[in-house]
Each structure stands twice: as structure tokens, then as C-alpha cells.
Amino acid sequence: MIPRVYIFDTTLRDGEQSPGVSLSMAEKLEIAKALEALQVDIIEAGFPVSSPGDFEGVKTVAETVKDVQVAALARANFKDIDVAWEAIKKASSPRIHTFIATSDIHLQHKLRKTREEVLEMAVEAVKYAKKYTPFVEFSAEDATRSEWNYLAQVVTAVIKAGATTVNIPDTVGYTVPQEYYDLIKFLVDSLKEHDLYHLVEEGKVVFSVHCHNDLGLAVANSLSALLAGARQVECTINGLGERAGNAALEEIVMTLKVRGDFFEKTIGHRLETRVKTNRIVPTSQLVANLTGMFVQPNKAIVGANAFAHESGIHQHGVIMHRGTYEIMDPQEVGWTGSAIVLGKHSGRHAVRFKLESRGWRLTPEQLSKIFERFRAEVKDVLRAIQDEYLEGVLLDEFLAQDYRYQVTSAYVSSIYGAPLQPVAQIEILDRLSGTHKAVTVGIGSVDAAFKAVARALDYRFVTPEGPVSGEKELRLVDFHIDSVGKGTEALGVCAVVIEDHQGRRTAGLGKDDDIVAAGIKALINALNRLEAFRAKGEELRQKLAASYEERGIIKG
Ligand code: KIV
Ligand code: ZN
């Protein structure tokens, strides 16, 4: 049996059938290009007869992507097949995917046809599609609830009619791994008595699996089928799809890669795909953003927490040797940045690791001080913090005496109802240049307050996407307000991250009974840290490194 597994991506067809998902033409094309770059083997671009929009979507994808086969879905009738062909005929490699249900429940209640009639329709559809293209896939919808001998009869007949791929869908997500294994094995073996088995062995006919996730078994079932001889997996990015979704592409591909040893031991060889695994996360994020179907944080491979270690023991382990708690390298699937997430469970090792990765070398005593400050700040206030906050704690420890700005008074109004706008008046003492005042209006009271701070100190906030040019321009990259405690008397906490023209990010934190005052404090804190770093940051970094080396902690 061939060692190659074909990845048939149906994000644009079965995935797009998810409730609430509707992609524009441009969005479909963007996803198709991402799938081509990911190097899936086949993109199922849609079901052309289902709507003019679907037809156009399939046609545009077929005419654009080159290095991937494009499939169009068609029921087992001539009209569907004609329309499907019309949509994909200009593809560099076009595949017609025709299907009809084979389970008695579908035959009796949906199709109202006999088994014989369905068998004939399947064969006729394959023969008809074959006139258009050599690449014809047949799917026996609801295969896993079909009678096995009848299903084998259909499979044999469509292969004889010319199908090059035979798909055995678990349409309602009903099967379990062992049963699915047995079914695929039974179907593959049943070809022996018709002298067709060699076609599967040589890879001229491919058994395909298409699993839905109603019992959460779609990936497990698909992998089990591969052990039994299937060589195509139909799947979607992020497991998107009807109801509970389809098998998740990223989980299939990474299991084959990470557990190649298991497949080798079990079937005598590894199973390879051609997927560029470092494109997985960017593709996942693109699909999530365009479909609005966001991925749960603990989703395997592509969830935000999939490689995040927050507990002290795990962080220590991963810093010492990644393999202690990670079975794959996050970069291998396209994650960038660090997997160590600072939070209230983080230990000293993680804090040191984070600071060192930003160039700060600390003696154990210095680290202890920073760690205690960090613990106090992170404890109830910020549940998980970005690295910038940790560096801010370090700047507070060593450079607070250099902080320039202090708010001496502020008044901010709140407005309920148009047409008035909130006003902020602020007075700030700059140790270097004296007292500055400003009055501004804003969209809300926090907006008014931030604008007043910026105007008083001669800073300017650029738009979220705009370029930041010059020392006085800043971008607000993160802003969030929270409360600690319960009820209206809870403490307001505000956290901000600003970015300067050199791309340097600085965080600030503010706490106050008044939520707007907490916001002003956070911004002033960030500006103080930024200016102190600009004035003395490098000098401090070198001083700390020198004292570190002097203590003989690191040599060379
Ligand atoms: O789930 C299913 O059976 C399908 C077929 C059309 C392949 O999506
Ligand atoms: Zn499906």
C-alpha cells in the first residue's frame, strides 16, 4: 500500500456549510490561496449547483489556484455533474466529486429509491463524470450506517465504472475507531474477489474517509481508517463543518507527523502528507477571522493555549528541555513567539527566562526582588500578562527615581446621551519641563482623558493601523479595563501597552477606585517607563549585565 496520504480539504464546501458561515467570493479565494500555500492535495471548492454564488466561487477558485487539484461536489445526476464541470473545467487539475446515500434510512426516507436504483445511479453518475475528467470521486453518503455487503457492491461497481477515489463518509459522526477500521478493511479486502485490489495497492484507486465529529471521534476515526488502508482524508481547517464539524486537518496532519513511529510499527511504514506544517497556524487564523468561527483556546495545535505553559513546574521543565512537556515544536506548526505565558502560577524560572530573552541579566537577589514585585502585581490584578508588563516591573524597580511625569490634578466628565461629549482637563508635572495643562473632548471619558494626557505632554496617538513616525508618536496596542473585587466599590484596574516609532512596546498599569483615574494612571505609568527606558534603559541593561558577570554567574 502506498505511504502517501492525500489531504482533501473541504473547508470551502463542508466547512462553509456550518451554520452562520457565509464567505464572500474574495474571502473564498483568500482561503483557497492559503490552502494552496499549505499544500493540501485537493481543495473541495463548493457545490456549484446549490447556488449561483457557489458556482462562481468554485469557478474563481478553479481558475486561480494552480498547484492543487480542485474538486466540485455534485449529486449523482447529470445536471449536477454538468454544472460542476462547468465550474471547474479550467482548473489545472479538475475533480468531480459525485455522491449518493447508501444507507437504508436515507434510501427509504430521503431518496425513496431501492438499493438497485441507487446502485445504478451511482454507476451512471461516475461514468458520466468520467467523460469530463479522469479524476472522479464517488461518495457513499451515510456509508457507516449502510449495510456492509451492499456498500461493498456499490464500491466495486463504481470502481469498475471508473471512480479513482472512493469515499466512505461517516456522515452523521456515528462510527467508532475499531468499527470504522473493520469497515474500511472489509471494503478494501472485498476488492480481492473482483481482481481490483491491486489498483488500491498501486495507488490507482484511493479509499477516502470523511468523518463528522458528532461524538468527538472524527480525527480518531480517520486515523483508524488509514491503518486499514484508506489513503485520503477529507478534513477542514479548525475542524469547521456541519453540526459538530469535520475532522480537523491540523490534527490529522500533525498526528501523522509526530506519531510516524506508531504507523511504522503498525503498518510497516510512515504515512506522509505534503502539507507545509508551518502554514497551519496562519491558515487556521485566516479561516477563523474570515468565518467568524473562532477556535477555543484549548483546541489542539491551533488553540491559543495549545503550547502555552503557565504553571511553574511546566515552565521550569520546558525552559530546561522543551521535550519535557511539549511533543512538537510550536514553530513547526507556525506559532511564533514564546510559549511561556506569564501568569499567577509562573515561577522564578519563567520570570528569569523572559527577562533574559529580552536581554536583562539579573543576579539572584535582583531577580528575587523583581519576582516579588511581579507576583504582587500579577496576583489578582492581571491574570495572564504580556512580557511587556514584566519588563515594566523591572523598570519600576531600577528607574522609578527617573520617572518624569506626575498627574497633579484631573477632571473628567461622563455623558449619558447625545449630543454632548465628555470633557477631560488635566494638569501634569514633567520633572524636566515644568507643568503642562490640556483640555480635550473625547468619544468617551477614557478617550477624552487619554487625549488630554497626550496633548498636555505633546504626544500624539496614531490610528491602530497607521505608521508611527517620530519620538512623539505612539500607538495604543492594548487597552483593557478590569475590576478586582465585587460590586460597584470594586477596584478598577487598567492595563495599556503603547508602541513607539522604533516598535518598542511598553506596558503600564493603573489601579484606582475610579475607573477613568485607573486609565490615566496606566497611561502615565507606561509613558514614564517609556521615557525612562529611552533615557537610561541601555545603560541599565549593561550595568546589570556587568554586575551579573562580576558575580561570576556567567562567563563568556
Ligand atoms: O458528510 C458527507 O457525507 C458529505 C458527502 C457529500 C461527502 O459531506
Ligand atoms: Zn460531510
Side-chain angles (χ1 to χ4, degrees), residues 87-134:
I88 54 165
K89 66 182 180 194
K90 296 212 176 114
S92 59
S93 178
R95 173 184 296 205
I96 294 175
H97 176 193
T98 183
F99 75 100
I100 190 162
T102 50
S103 65
D104 287 338
I105 188 169
H106 276 240
L107 263 60
Q108 282 161 25
H109 302 286
K110 189 180 82 175
L111 300 174
R112 295 179 190 278
K113 302 234 177 271
T114 64
R115 288 184 179 179
E116 292 68 33
E117 285 169 323
V118 164
L119 178 67
E120 195 185 325
M121 286 171 77
V123 168
E124 289 312 313
V126 170
K127 284 187 180 157
Y128 190 71
K130 210 55 196 187
K131 289 192 208 147
Y132 287 129
T133 170

Side-chain angles (χ1 to χ4, degrees), residues 13-14 171 210 212 246:
R13 201 276 297 167
D14 227 341
T171 305
H210 175 115
H212 281 268
N246 290 58

Side-chain angles (χ1 to χ4, degrees), residues 138-388:
F138 173 78
S139 279
E141 193 190 9
D142 204 18
T144 51
R145 292 192 301 167
S146 304
E147 199 273 310
W148 285 20
N149 288 313
Y150 172 61
L151 185 59
Q153 219 185 323
V154 174
V155 166
T156 310
V158 295
I159 292 175
K160 284 185 178 162
T164 42
T165 303
V166 187
N167 187 32
I168 311 299
D170 184 27
T171 305
V172 290
Y174 180 70
T175 198
V176 292
Q178 183 65 51
E179 180 185 67
Y180 202 40
Y181 173 93
D182 293 341
L183 173 61
I184 301 295
K185 183 105 180 54
F186 168 78
L187 294 173
V188 174
D189 285 348
S190 70
L191 297 182
K192 287 180 182 158
E193 47 190 277
H194 303 278
D195 195 23
L196 297 171
Y197 182 74
H198 67 99
L199 294 177
V200 179
E201 272 190 315
E202 292 157 12
K204 290 182 180 147
V205 167
V206 171
F207 270 84
S208 166
V209 288
H210 175 115
C211 297
H212 281 268
N213 208 27
D214 299 66
L215 291 173
L217 293 171
V219 169
N221 287 335
S222 306
L223 294 168
S224 186
L226 292 177
L227 294 172
R231 286 295 178 269
Q232 174 176 286
V233 181
E234 304 199 353
C235 45
T236 56
I237 301 291
N238 302 338
L240 205 64
E242 288 262 31
R243 308 182 307 279
N246 290 58
L249 179 148
E250 58 278 6
E251 295 175 24
I252 302 279
V253 168
M254 289 315 292
T255 305
L256 294 179
K257 191 165 183 192
V258 174
R259 294 312 314 275
D261 63 323
F262 170 77
F263 289 91
E264 189 156 25
K265 194 173 70 190
T266 314
I267 57 172
H269 54 80
R270 291 178 170 254
L271 289 173
E272 311 285 349
T273 73
R274 66 165 196 166
V275 168
K276 289 258 173 286
T277 60
N278 63 0
R279 302 288 319 148
I280 287 179
V281 168
T283 313
S284 155
Q285 290 174 347
L286 176 76
V287 170
N289 287 334
L290 295 183
T291 58
M293 299 281 280
F294 292 100
V295 166
Q296 78 214 44
N298 57 329
K299 162 84 180 63
I301 323 282
V302 294
N305 290 351
F307 294 91
H309 304 278
E310 205 206 283
S311 87
I313 295 176
H314 286 209
Q315 291 190 336
H316 183 204
V318 170
I319 290 164
M320 301 318 261
H321 187 288
R322 202 176 45 220
T324 51
Y325 289 101
E326 273 180 7
I327 58 166
M328 59 198 134
D329 181 348
Q331 290 180 0
E332 198 182 340
V333 294
W335 283 109
T336 51
S338 173
I340 304 286
V341 177
L342 291 175
K344 61 181 173 199
H345 303 296
S346 299
R348 212 169 279 266
H349 294 285
V351 168
R352 194 186 66 206
F353 172 79
K354 284 287 183 186
L355 290 171
E356 284 188 357
S357 56
R358 294 187 144 232
W360 298 103
R361 289 275 148 116
L362 300 172
T363 62
E365 298 75 30
Q366 289 165 338
L367 180 71
S368 288
K369 281 196 185 157
I370 305 284
F371 183 63
E372 290 317 319
R373 271 179 176 257
F374 157 79
R375 282 286 270 251
E377 207 154 282
V378 81
K379 207 161 145 253
D380 303 308
V381 179
L382 296 167
R383 284 165 201 99
I385 67 167
Q386 294 155 11
D387 302 0
E388 289 83 6

Side-chain angles (χ1 to χ4, degrees), residues 410 412 446 449 492 494 510-523:
V412 185
V446 172
C494 179
K511 291 172 239 173
D512 199 282
D513 295 335
D514 184 299
I515 201 72
V516 181
I520 295 174
K521 285 182 178 174
L523 180 58

